[in-house]
Amino acid sequence: MSDNSEAPGADGATRSGGSGRAAPAASTPPGPQPEPLPFFGTTWVDHDGGYGLRRAGAAVGSLAATVAACFVLRFAYQGLAIAEVGNAVGILVVVMFAICSAIAFRKTWEGFSRRPADPAREASLRGLKMIGFAGSLLAYFLRTFVEAPGERLRRTEYEEALARFAKRRSARTGNPAARKGAKGKRPKRR
């Protein structure tokens, strides 16, 4: 979220998700701006700009990527079988990928509804989430049936930022000198 502290359109993104052109200064409303989501830009705010098609595309794409990931894992397992490393190693590899995928699914799913409490811990889990990439892709696929992945979190933050902005703005309206003169005015000494 930005509070318009930078020049309008400085990031090169437009309201519909980022065409690379800077928006004119007059089109940027005052106050906080919505944070763009991957593949959706800021279309999640008003569900415009092909939002439904983008959700359908994200669902199909993430499902295709999940299926492709499963094929990659299958080929890796077949490579172990061809190498004749033994049943114990094969079982360990399958269990490792299953556990890493389950953890990656859970962490990805939690990331859609809240920010991580400890970013350093999330960074340390990055490798584990890369191993369990099939779980992350599956979480992304399932979340597209509910919303754009991460939409609820960003919408909550955006609405809170708008409320704070409106409160700050309403507290500053009027002429401060006129308010100061009406209250607590001391009589002048002669």
Side-chain angles (χ1 to χ4, degrees):
M1 239 35 80
S2 73
D3 287 331
N4 275 350
S5 58
E6 298 176 5
D11 60 349
T14 62
R15 178 96 168 52
S16 65
S19 66
R21 290 174 287 162
S27 69
T28 304
Q33 300 302 310
E35 186 177 348
L37 288 172
F39 307 116
F40 293 92
T42 56
T43 61
W44 59 268
V45 176
D46 296 324
H47 292 184
D48 60 352
Y51 173 80
L53 291 174
R54 289 176 189 232
R55 264 184 61 190
V60 169
S62 59
L63 180 62
T66 303
V67 170
C70 290
F71 276 118
V72 167
L73 294 176
R74 180 174 178 244
F75 293 142
Y77 182 76
Q78 285 179 343
L80 290 174
I82 291 171
E84 296 178 359
V85 293
N87 287 339
V89 173
I91 290 171
L92 284 174
V93 168
V94 169
V95 169
M96 179 207 51
F97 275 112
I99 290 172
C100 290
S101 292
I103 292 171
F105 178 90
R106 189 176 130 244
K107 289 296 183 183
T108 303
W109 193 265
E110 288 174 355
F112 295 142
S113 59
R114 67 175 183 247
R115 299 277 182 187
D118 186 10
R121 184 162 188 257
E122 287 297 314
S124 68
L125 290 175
R126 189 172 297 140
L128 189 128
K129 287 168 69 174
M130 287 179 73
I131 294 170
F133 61 100
S136 292
L137 291 169
L138 185 62
Y140 199 87
F141 167 69
L142 293 175
R143 194 61 174 204
T144 56
F145 289 114
V146 178
E147 64 181 1
E151 177 182 345
R152 186 174 300 149
L153 172 66
R154 303 273 168 58
R155 186 172 301 282
T156 302
E157 291 174 346
Y158 180 57
E159 288 171 355
E160 288 172 358
L162 284 174
R164 284 192 307 269
F165 178 76
K167 185 177 179 181
R168 280 193 322 256
R169 189 158 186 159
S170 67
R172 293 184 295 195
T173 58
N175 184 355
R179 281 185 275 153
K180 190 175 184 180
K183 288 185 177 179
K185 189 174 182 182
R186 294 184 187 177
K188 290 187 178 181
R189 293 186 192 176
R190 291 187 197 234

